Every structure is written in structure tokens, then in C-alpha cells.
Amino acid sequence: MVEIPESHPRRNSLISRKIIVEATKQGLLADSAMIAHGRGEAFDYLLGEKTSEIARLSIKESAARLIAAKHPVISVNGNTVVLAGKSLIRVAAVLQCPIEINIYYRTEKRMKLLYDFLELQRIEVSKEENPLDWMGDWEAAVMSVEILGKEEDGRIEGLEGPRAICSAEGIEKADVILVPLEDGDRCEVLVSLGKVVLVVDLNPLSRSAKMATVTIVDEVARAADLLLEYVIKNSSDVTEWDNDLALKESLKVISETGDL
Ligand code: PTJ
């Protein structure tokens, strides 16, 4: 494998590409995963490849809503597992909420591969030091995170076919769902079911971004790391979040990044 020099200005982006390429070879990702990633990358380039102030606020708001939830769940698809799986396991460990593998292009083979991959990530995370400012038995907290998805015993009411399949104890029961890189239709239905939907999407113009309760316009791995800090701080309250205003702010960031 070609080494990426530490000094390379676009190192993180190149590492993410490598991760996506490798995961594709392993069969973990959907056929269109690279296309989705490329679209995200283009938006990230326009955002200056960093977390904007408005993205930081939306992450803080999402942390507050996950903490206040009765039944929070973190839903992960292929791209999310390989790019941010470990970070989201840390978030789930702090919140003590389940992670549900819920993929758009559902096949039994991919579900199994992703489950095994996430299990391995969980074991690795359980062996880490406690995250900064978190106190308690880290290994126990991580190993008690439930990984859902294989049960297929729940349904997203209002959707048909494989896209409706979910876990009864996860998405079906949840009042607050974090769904990175979600599809617009599913996002719309989840909101219509009265759930609080927290989306991570680099494209502020996507249907999911527009439909969500709170949209984090940021790269999923960066956003997940910052989310961990905010769930550990546990210091903010849920606000009257104006998501349209937040999306407009993200578009402003994009237009200003381009200023020469
Ligand atoms: O694993 P599956 O079967 O659930 O499939 C996952 C993909 C991502 C292939 C599927 O959900 C899909 O086709 O997604 P879309 O409709 O192409 O939407 C993906 C959205 O995520 C786009 O708006 C991208 O801008 C955004 N995106 C891509 N990569 C990232 C991202 N947002 C945040 N971080 C990223 N790394």
C-alpha cells in the first residue's frame, strides 16, 4: 500500500479514500458507496475540510438531544461503520445506547460482514484508555453496548420492502435516532413517525439534510469525535433548534470558503 506522508495537506481525505477502497474489496460496502463518498468529499472540500462553527453547534445540540432521549439509538450503514465505527461505539458506550446496523442496500452477506467488523471494532475500543474526562469502567461500558440489526424484528411504518426492516429494540422503539448518511425517504418517514432525527450529511441541500430535526453538515468521522466530547461534557440543554437557519449558515460557509 502507498504510504501517505504526514505532511500531505490532504492526508485525512486520502486516508478516507483508502479506507473506502479497502472496505469495498472486503464486500462491506454498497456498490454505490464510492459515489456517495465522492459526493461527500466534494462538499467537504468546499467546507475547507474542517468542522464549521454551525456544525459544532449542531453536534452540541445533537449531544443534548441524545442525552435527553428515553430510547436513543445510533444507526450505522456501511460507509459509517468503516469511517467512524470506532468513534460511534465510544459515543454509544458513554450514552449506554444501542448501535443498529441498518443498511439501505440490504443483503444478508453485508449484514454479517458489517456485524463482524463492528464487533471487532468494539473489542479494540474496549481495550483503549478511558476517553478524556470520562470516569468509570471503560471496558465494561463498551462491551455492554448492544449491536442490533440482525434480528430484523421491527419495521419502519410507512416504508415498503427491505428498506423498512429494522430492529424492534432499536430504530422502531427509539425516540431519538442518530443516522449518518441517511436516505431522504427514510429520514422523512422517521420524522413523520414523531422521532427526533439527527442526520450527518456533508451536503446541506440533500433531502435528508432538509428533512432532519438537526442536521450536522460535517464529515462523519470528524463529527463523531466531537460528538463524543459533547456527550462526555453533558453540559448543554435541548434548544428550539431552527434547522433551516442552520442549513443556510452551512451554505454561507461553503460560499465563503470559495472566496479568493
Ligand atoms: O451501506 P448502505 O447500503 O446503507 O449504503 C450507504 C450509501 C451511503 C451508499 C447510501 O446510503 C447512499 O446511496 O447514500 P446517498 O443517497 O448517496 O447519500 C449519501 C450522502 O452522504 C450524500 O449527501 C453525501 O454528501 C453524504 N456523505 C458522503 N460521505 C460522507 C457524507 N456525509 C458525511 N460524511 C461523509 N464521509
Side-chain angles (χ1 to χ4, degrees):
M1 244 191 304
V2 184
E3 275 301 310
I4 303 164
E6 295 276 345
S7 59
H8 196 291
R10 305 205 49 249
R11 190 165 194 272
N12 289 343
S13 164
L14 294 181
I15 290 173
S16 296
R17 280 189 181 189
K18 262 170 90 166
I19 292 172
I20 294 286
V21 170
E22 284 306 314
T24 302
K25 286 184 195 156
Q26 290 172 40
L28 288 158
L29 303 185
D31 290 345
S32 57
M34 267 193 214
I35 299 171
H37 185 77
R39 184 189 294 171
E41 216 185 38
F43 279 100
D44 204 21
Y45 198 94
L46 293 170
L47 286 159
E49 291 175 344
K50 55 178 191 273
T51 304
S52 65
E53 196 42 43
I54 185 62
R56 177 179 284 276
L57 285 176
S58 61
I59 292 168
K60 190 174 172 199
E61 180 71 24
S62 298
R65 288 178 184 243
L66 285 165
I67 291 165
K70 269 206 186 99
H71 300 290
V73 69
I74 299 175
S75 171
V76 290
N77 61 12
N79 293 44
T80 303
V81 167
V82 301
L83 292 172
K86 280 191 176 180
S87 308
L88 290 172
I89 289 168
R90 294 183 195 109
V91 173
V94 172
L95 290 169
Q96 282 298 292
C97 77
I99 292 197
E100 176 169 344
I101 302 169
N102 194 274
I103 56 179
Y104 192 77
Y105 299 103
R106 197 177 188 104
T107 65
E108 213 176 296
K109 191 171 166 225
R110 278 192 66 217
M111 283 300 288
K112 174 158 180 17
L113 285 171
L114 285 168
Y115 188 86
D116 293 348
F117 193 87
L118 204 57
E119 265 298 354
L120 271 182
Q121 287 183 319
R122 181 161 74 142
I123 290 165
E124 282 173 25
V125 170
S126 76
K127 297 197 164 77
E128 294 173 347
E129 300 278 300
N130 281 18
L132 195 66
D133 296 331
W134 188 87
M135 268 162 338
D137 182 341
W138 184 241
E139 187 174 4
V142 173
M143 292 315 287
S144 63
V145 170
E146 264 187 291
I147 301 179
L148 302 173
K150 285 202 296 197
E151 319 70 38
E152 308 194 340
D153 54 355
R155 290 293 174 272
I156 303 173
E157 226 178 280
L159 283 179
E160 283 179 12
R163 278 153 204 179
I165 299 171
C166 68
S167 166
E169 281 302 302
I171 290 177
E172 191 178 272
K173 184 174 170 187
D175 54 343
V176 179
I177 312 178
L178 176 72
V179 269
L181 283 65
E182 178 57 316
D183 159 72
D185 281 356
R186 282 206 311 198
C187 183
E188 186 172 5
V189 169
L190 291 170
V191 171
S192 76
L193 291 172
K195 298 178 191 291
V196 168
V197 181
L198 315 169
V199 158
V200 184
D201 194 328
L202 279 159
N203 176 5
L205 296 170
S206 78
R207 280 197 56 234
S208 327
K210 289 183 187 166
M211 290 293 162
T213 320
V214 178
T215 306
I216 298 169
V217 181
D218 198 9
E219 200 283 320
V220 67
R222 280 201 307 266
D225 286 342
L226 196 51
L227 184 63
L228 177 66
E229 288 180 27
Y230 280 115
V231 292
I232 290 174
K233 272 190 206 145
N234 190 0
S235 61
S236 54
D237 293 324
V238 168
T239 69
E240 293 279 323
W241 182 257
D242 184 338
N243 206 43
D244 288 345
L245 194 66
L247 292 176
K248 281 188 189 129
E249 200 51 42
S250 294
L251 282 169
K252 213 167 127 210
V253 174
I254 288 176
S255 67
E256 284 167 5
T257 307
D259 282 351
L260 297 173

